Amino acid sequence: MIIAKTIREVRENIAQWRREGFSVGLVPTMGYLHEGHASLVDRAVADCDRVVVSDFVNPTQFAPNEDLESYPRDFGHDCKLLEEHGCDMVFYPSVEEMYAPNAATYVEILDEMPKQLCGKTRPIHFRGVCTVVSKLFNIVQPDKAFFGQKDAQQLAVIRRMVRDLSYGIEIVGCPIVRENDGLAKSSRNTYLDANERKAALVLSKAVFRGEYLVKSGVTDSEKVLAEMTAIISAEPLAKIDYVSAVDGETMLPVDAITNGVLVAMAVYIGKTRLIDNFIAGGPK
Ligand code: AMP
């Protein structure tokens, strides 16, 4: 596996692969990799001749009060996992390699969708995500890029950016990978102490209950969200940021949960903010 720390190295390797006629897949990550990330790499390896994984904690998507400094990192472990899953090149740039000191150009969707759900508590988050993913697309120029359904709003935002800016890149959404007890895998789960780890199960419990209700034919958002909210509120360590049913593309609230509707939540367990979701009728 090639470890590339500079944009130049990435471009040289990609150019060589293109000369050899290979297709290229990209998996953007912030590192501290787990089986959720690995599932994206597996899908990329299955779909593409060569796979690039970026491992970069992107400062522009963190607000000053967020966890940029404490975000977990373990590049040695990441390389081991990536090698085991057949990644061909990991792009591991420094902040200075990605952003010039006076970098001031951003990619931002001027619409309601990035302001909904996570955008309410994280107003600059999706601008940072779009900017870094856009840069990664320009550096790697992949045929396909792979994103997790776990970050459902991010996936919708990236699809919109790709459409609006005519990136000729296919965006592949991949299912949520969970721990055995249901908790969605996340690098941030490492922040949880033993009691919080138990308490965090309310997210997946609420998701499974909501999914069950919708599958049983309940379509009234209010009813489904009320039951999900009650499950989370019963846990003293949990504080709800949002539990919402929204249109899968616009991210605007809906009254009826029909196929394609995203039912998503963000919940603080102690100081750790976790997210989870399901799509009615399953992802398209
Ligand atoms: P992150 O490193 O958290 O920025 O995540 C990088 C990519 O991995 C994103 O596309 C995430 O949606 C995806 N991802 C993270 N956790 C999971 C999970 N539990 N299941 C599936 N995909 C995931």
Side-chain angles (χ1 to χ4, degrees):
M1 182 175 72
I2 301 161
I3 297 175
K5 294 191 174 173
T6 63
I7 293 168
R8 196 181 148 170
E9 284 170 273
V10 175
R11 289 207 164 117
E12 282 171 5
N13 284 296
I14 301 272
Q16 180 55 34
W17 290 343
R18 291 300 189 188
R19 279 193 291 275
E20 293 172 57
F22 293 138
S23 64
V24 176
L26 170 67
V27 182
T29 82
M30 295 208 300
Y32 211 70
L33 304 179
H34 50 67
E35 289 304 312
H37 300 107
S39 73
L40 271 54
V41 178
D42 291 344
R43 177 71 199 270
V45 167
D47 280 19
C48 304
D49 300 321
R50 291 291 179 270
V51 171
V52 183
V53 175
S54 59
D55 186 323
F56 178 61
V57 182
N58 172 39
T60 64
Q61 68 192 66
F62 288 80
N65 62 329
E66 292 182 340
D67 57 344
L68 173 62
E69 297 307 323
S70 58
Y71 196 84
R73 296 156 213 244
D74 186 346
F75 187 59
H77 164 82
D78 292 350
C79 285
K80 192 163 169 286
L81 179 143
L82 291 175
E83 211 139 14
E84 279 166 12
H85 285 267
C87 167
D88 297 286
M89 173 162 55
V90 56
F91 178 40
Y92 184 61
S94 63
V95 172
E96 294 71 30
E97 178 69 10
M98 286 297 273
Y99 293 106
N102 61 349
T105 306
Y106 291 90
V107 177
E108 183 171 14
I109 301 177
L110 299 178
D111 184 38
E112 290 306 309
M113 68 169 314
K115 297 184 192 146
Q116 305 301 309
L117 307 180
C118 289
K120 286 187 183 161
T121 43
R122 310 189 73 190
I124 62 149
H125 178 66
F126 290 112
R127 184 183 80 158
V129 169
C130 283
T131 302
V132 78
V133 171
S134 180
K135 283 171 69 74
L136 292 167
F137 285 176
N138 290 332
I139 294 163
V140 175
Q141 300 188 14
D143 300 282
K144 295 187 182 192
F146 300 81
F147 293 86
Q149 187 60 49
K150 154 120 191 312
D151 299 83
Q153 187 176 14
Q154 169 172 282
L155 178 55
V157 160
I158 297 297
R159 286 192 199 283
R160 176 71 180 270
M161 177 185 87
V162 162
R163 194 205 68 184
D164 286 0
L165 295 182
S166 307
Y167 276 106
I169 298 171
E170 185 186 329
I171 302 303
V172 181
C174 302
I176 300 176
V177 176
R178 298 179 179 281
E179 303 286 354
N180 286 336
D181 60 5
L183 179 67
K185 289 196 184 244
S186 165
S187 308
R188 288 191 168 99
N189 291 349
T190 182
Y191 297 148
L192 304 170
D193 68 24
N195 284 332
E196 290 171 340
R197 174 65 184 76
K198 274 186 215 145
L201 285 180
V202 291
L203 282 96
S204 52
K205 274 189 193 151
V207 162
F208 297 154
R209 179 66 186 159
E211 223 170 1
Y212 170 79
L213 288 171
V214 172
K215 271 193 191 141
S216 321
V218 183
T219 55
D220 182 8
S221 300
E222 221 172 296
K223 189 159 189 298
V224 174
L225 297 178
E227 280 212 28
M228 293 172 67
T229 303
I231 291 171
I232 302 165
S233 305
E235 169 51 59
L237 292 178
K239 189 170 145 277
I240 293 176
D241 177 4
Y242 66 81
V243 182
S244 307
V246 299
D247 179 276
E249 282 175 17
T250 65
M251 302 287 117
L252 294 173
V254 293
D255 294 331
I257 304 184
T258 51
N259 282 352
V261 165
L262 169 67
V263 182
M265 63 177 69
V267 177
Y268 291 93
I269 302 292
K271 286 191 180 136
T272 306
R273 188 173 174 282
L274 299 175
I275 55 175
D276 204 341
N277 70 81
F278 70 94
I279 294 181
K284 268 186 265 175

